[in-house]
Amino acid sequence: VFDRASAFLKARKDPRPLFLFAHTYAVHDYFREWQAAKEGEAPRPTEASAAKLACLVGTGRCTAEQWRDLEADYVRGVREVDEALSGLLALIDATLGLDRTIIVVVSDHGEGFDPEHGRIHHGGRLHYDQLHVPLIVAGPGVVSGRSDALVSLVDVGPTILALAGLAPDVTLDGRSL
């Protein structure tokens, strides 16, 4: 996703304002390991992946080693996305100018690693580790700082519109942050 977004920006000649939405599931399947496929066949998850998935969704018992491995896989995935995003932001700065660009980075959910709850995957529960996710907003008109205010993903759209100086022509759920 980040490579395609970068290629698009490098090739872009249009001077008009741009809305670029780069969505990734890169960290979503952090537990998957794929075995090589024979020619003409799709890759399949390894047996280790199947065991990790059973651990994640609570259909299998997790060993302490599996808990550690899953958390390490997740942290590695987040780090890779951070690095890819950093490269995209550098390109945005070079091509569009970060001083003229509204940047929003958000996750739709977190991933828990708490063996006390019996599973760590993000489905089927609403614990703090799933609900407490980053929301980063930067750009012209954004007051620098940190807030512990409760917000929702439904607030992202109205926030972007307000920062762009636009009023929606319909009533939106959510509010500008």
Side-chain angles (χ1 to χ4, degrees), residues 3 30 33 49 56 59 61 63 93 103 117 119 121 125 135 139 142 147 157 159-160 162 166 170 173:
D3 289 344
Y30 60 91
E33 299 163 2
S49 278
L56 281 169
T59 59
R61 300 275 303 152
T63 66
D93 192 23
I103 303 287
H117 288 109
R119 63 184 190 185
H121 202 46
R125 61 186 181 84
L135 170 59
V142 176
S147 172
T159 301
I160 293 170
L166 301 171
V170 296
D173 290 335

Side-chain angles (χ1 to χ4, degrees), residues 8 18 31 39 51 54 76 87-89 94 102 112 125 138 140 145 150 153 157 161 165 167 177:
F8 171 81
L18 166 71
F31 58 90
E39 190 172 327
R76 184 174 30 262
L88 181 59
L89 290 173
I102 299 165
R125 61 186 181 84
L150 184 61
L153 292 178
L161 289 173
L177 302 171

Side-chain angles (χ1 to χ4, degrees), residues 105-133:
V105 179
V106 64
S107 178
D108 61 341
H109 60 77
E111 192 78 358
F113 293 97
D114 188 354
E116 289 180 30
H117 288 109
R119 63 184 190 185
I120 58 178
H121 202 46
H122 53 268
R125 61 186 181 84
L126 293 174
H127 294 126
Y128 179 80
D129 53 11
Q130 289 178 291
L131 300 175
H132 188 253
V133 298

Side-chain angles (χ1 to χ4, degrees), residues 4-6 8-9 18-23 88 92 96 102 104:
R4 287 196 320 262
S6 294
F8 171 81
L9 286 174
L18 166 71
F19 179 83
L20 174 66
F21 179 79
H23 177 273
L88 181 59
I92 289 170
L96 303 173
I102 299 165
V104 178

